Amino acid sequence: MAEKLKYLRIYFVTWNVATKYPEQSLNKLLDLNNINNSKTLADLYFIGLQEVKAQPQNMVMDIFFEDPWTKSFREVLKKYDYVKIRTQRLQGLVLNIFCLRKHITHLRSIETQYTRTGCGGMWGNKGAVSIRLNIYGINMCVVNTHLTPHDHLLADRIVDYNTILTNHSFSNPDTSRILFHDYVFWIGDLNFRLHGEDLTATEIDILVKKNQLTTLLAKDQLKMVMEKGDAFAELNESAITFPPTYKYEFASQEFDLKRRPSWTDRILYRVNANIYDDIKLNVIQHNYKSHSNYIQSDHKPVTGEFDIIIRPSIEDYGVEFQPVTSWFIDEENSVSYKLLGDARPASGDWVGLFPNEFSSLDEYIVYEYVGRGKSSPIPFEPHSIIERIYFNDTALRAPGMYRLVYVAQRGNLLGILGVSPPFPGHHRPI
């Protein structure tokens, strides 16, 4: 498959959920309603949320359990064979990546980061969370932000952006900064408003109802600071054809005119097109829209769908599991696997036992670290290394179908090097 793949399709969601819990079906937001009518499934979903309820007791629980929004998105996407790979959270800011199962063994060097900008960098009620990764020979960074609010605090938003660029750093020197990546997508409640006070909220509402969006967009603060080079000048944005996304009355499609309506919720992108000799990278955006039928927040969610050019000829190093006939309950079990290409085990690597149709990397039943306990090298074939890893007799406790996943974990870096074929677990026949 990798030899034929030229593009990856990526779907982005940004939504300030205003501390509410999920109520409405998420299928339309994820563009899954017409999936049986030859609609192409996205290869990756990045879902960025702001103002997810973040009371202290919730934050403690979220260390161990998914927040309700992440769980709701996962419940929808798992029906289409997506796996949640990572979640990065900073108080009310949440960023999730979901990947079609067929691609997960091509994910490498996944790393998360965050920057606080609230209260001069002391508090995480505002700031940024990000996920960067390598896949099919390219790398990308996705940033979800919630910047300083209010019409008159434009200067603070500019400072927020530049603080995030300065403070955000990653492990690989070649992609140590956000803008060093092949592809950058910057989403979130950026909180830019309409410049000046010459238009009242009521006048803006009238212009929107007359579909005179161009008049309003000429006063958009984000476009102004991009043109002046003060912030976001390194990124691009497709034309906006949807109404302002804030502020709405709850449970309504009408503006709450206590605030001047504005386009606070945005999706921007950047491509470093000429970084490789063998191919010119490119982004093709298919749509950019808001979803007015979602009424539980005072913001409307915004989505964007993109194709990005990849480099499928770049070979992945990885792990190939040997076939497993079956594992037995209450017995020690083992599996052998072959290290392919330049793959080499490290002390943080682990092999996890998962349900066959797992929908999150957090769903492991048990895991064993590679190189600890009972792992043993097997005489290797030319140009490959084969090892065996053992799981103790408490690992498998119930009958069912299972898979094993080899996860390369090097500090904050994560990669999925291999997934075994499914195999049954049961009691040994008497």
Side-chain angles (χ1 to χ4, degrees):
M1 176 187 167
E3 290 74 21
K4 298 180 181 179
L5 200 64
K6 295 182 180 179
Y7 300 89
L8 282 181
R9 179 153 293 186
I10 311 178
Y11 194 99
F12 294 91
V13 177
T14 178
W15 193 7
N16 183 321
V17 297
T19 73
K20 304 300 183 182
Y21 290 107
E23 296 172 358
Q24 298 176 261
S25 168
L26 298 171
N27 283 60
K28 188 171 183 180
L29 181 61
L30 298 171
D31 200 20
L32 295 172
N33 281 351
N34 300 314
I35 213 64
N36 295 324
N37 299 329
S38 71
K39 167 76 172 64
T40 301
L41 278 172
D43 299 295
L44 298 168
Y45 276 90
F46 286 92
I47 298 171
L49 306 171
Q50 307 86 40
E51 292 194 27
V52 174
K53 197 164 189 177
Q55 294 174 346
Q57 64 269 29
N58 295 81
M59 293 162 62
V60 171
M61 293 296 288
D62 289 342
I63 295 172
F64 305 102
F65 302 101
E66 288 179 327
D67 66 89
W69 283 99
T70 296
K71 183 178 180 181
S72 294
F73 279 108
R74 183 166 64 84
E75 288 298 316
V76 172
L77 287 170
K78 74 178 184 181
K79 300 171 187 174
Y80 299 89
D81 211 27
Y82 289 91
V83 177
K84 192 196 80 174
I85 304 300
R86 289 293 289 267
T87 299
Q88 177 67 348
R89 179 162 189 178
L90 175 66
Q91 288 183 226
L93 268 173
V94 177
L95 178 60
N96 286 301
I97 170 176
F98 294 85
C99 180
L100 275 178
R101 193 181 308 273
K102 65 184 179 181
H103 296 306
I104 65 173
T105 56
H106 297 277
L107 293 167
R108 300 289 183 273
S109 300
I110 306 163
E111 187 174 2
T112 58
Q113 189 56 273
Y114 66 88
T115 296
R116 299 183 181 95
T117 60
C119 298
M122 299 296 292
W123 191 239
N125 63 322
K126 297 293 185 289
V129 291
S130 66
I131 299 174
R132 62 88 54 217
L133 58 92
N134 294 3
I135 184 170
Y136 292 116
I138 58 92
N139 57 71
M140 71 176 75
C141 182
V142 178
V143 186
N144 175 30
T145 53
H146 193 186
L147 304 186
T148 299
H150 304 306
D151 288 39
H152 64 287
L153 294 180
L154 173 60
D156 293 54
R157 288 187 278 282
I158 294 171
V159 170
D160 288 347
Y161 171 76
N162 288 289
T163 298
I164 293 163
L165 281 185
T166 301
N167 290 1
H168 244 62
S169 64
F170 300 99
S171 299
N172 189 322
D174 293 333
T175 54
S176 61
R177 298 295 176 182
I178 292 170
L179 298 179
F180 291 179
H181 289 80
D182 299 342
Y183 296 100
V184 178
F185 295 92
W186 200 305
I187 69 177
D189 179 358
L190 308 187
N191 254 323
F192 287 96
R193 309 302 173 95
L194 297 180
H195 193 66
E197 298 293 336
D198 53 323
L199 280 174
T200 67
T202 301
E203 290 169 335
I204 293 170
D205 185 31
I206 292 170
L207 288 171
V208 171
K209 285 181 166 60
K210 291 180 177 179
N211 201 32
Q212 295 184 11
L213 302 185
T214 304
T215 301
L216 295 175
L217 285 166
K219 297 178 176 293
D220 175 57
Q221 287 181 346
L222 177 55
K223 294 187 179 301
M224 294 173 67
V225 299
M226 290 173 73
E227 290 171 4
K228 291 172 65 176
D230 293 335
F232 293 96
E234 302 86 353
L235 293 107
N236 303 290
E237 183 181 27
S238 291
I240 292 175
T241 58
F242 47 86
T245 58
Y246 174 82
K247 172 180 172 70
Y248 288 82
E249 295 176 355
F250 287 96
S252 172
Q253 296 185 23
E254 296 296 324
F255 289 119
D256 178 349
L257 299 180
K258 296 185 185 71
R259 294 280 190 275
R260 297 194 311 149
S262 55
W263 286 272
T264 56
D265 309 278
R266 312 289 275 264
I267 298 174
L268 293 85
Y269 66 91
R270 169 187 170 91
V271 54
N272 286 310
N274 299 309
I275 201 165
Y276 300 110
D277 295 332
D278 61 334
I279 197 166
K280 183 173 182 177
L281 302 182
N282 192 26
V283 164
I284 302 165
Q285 185 164 359
H286 294 286
N287 53 65
Y288 188 26
K289 55 191 177 184
S290 67
H291 298 259
S292 61
N293 56 306
Y294 286 89
I295 59 173
Q296 62 185 95
S297 170
D298 54 355
H299 290 252
K300 300 303 180 186
V302 173
T303 61
E305 192 169 22
F306 299 77
D307 282 345
I308 64 169
I309 289 178
I310 57 173
R311 303 168 68 217
S313 59
I314 304 300
E315 290 293 326
D316 284 326
Y317 58 89
V319 165
E320 180 183 285
F321 284 97
Q322 305 303 296
V324 176
T325 304
S326 62
W327 274 20
F328 297 113
I329 295 171
D330 296 330
E331 296 187 22
E332 182 182 72
N333 294 286
S334 66
V335 65
S336 58
Y337 55 88
K338 182 188 297 184
L339 299 169
L340 304 175
D342 295 328
R344 293 295 180 269
S347 60
D349 293 2
W350 52 276
V351 176
L353 176 68
F354 285 77
N356 178 34
E357 296 184 349
F358 67 95
S359 60
S360 168
L361 281 190
D362 300 327
E363 282 190 298
Y364 58 83
I365 298 164
V366 67
Y367 61 88
E368 290 286 347
Y369 283 108
V370 171
R372 299 185 191 179
K374 293 185 175 182
S375 68
S376 59
I378 295 175
F380 60 88
E381 302 172 3
H383 311 300
S384 66
I385 298 172
I386 298 181
E387 293 190 347
R388 182 177 295 275
I389 190 166
Y390 292 83
F391 286 73
N392 66 37
D393 58 8
T394 63
L396 189 63
R397 305 307 297 269
M401 294 297 293
Y402 297 91
R403 289 181 185 264
L404 294 160
V405 179
Y406 189 111
V407 179
Q409 190 150 359
R410 321 287 163 86
N412 192 34
L413 290 171
L414 190 76
I416 303 170
L417 302 196
V419 178
S420 78
F423 59 89
H426 51 76
H427 290 283
R428 184 182 292 275
I430 297 175

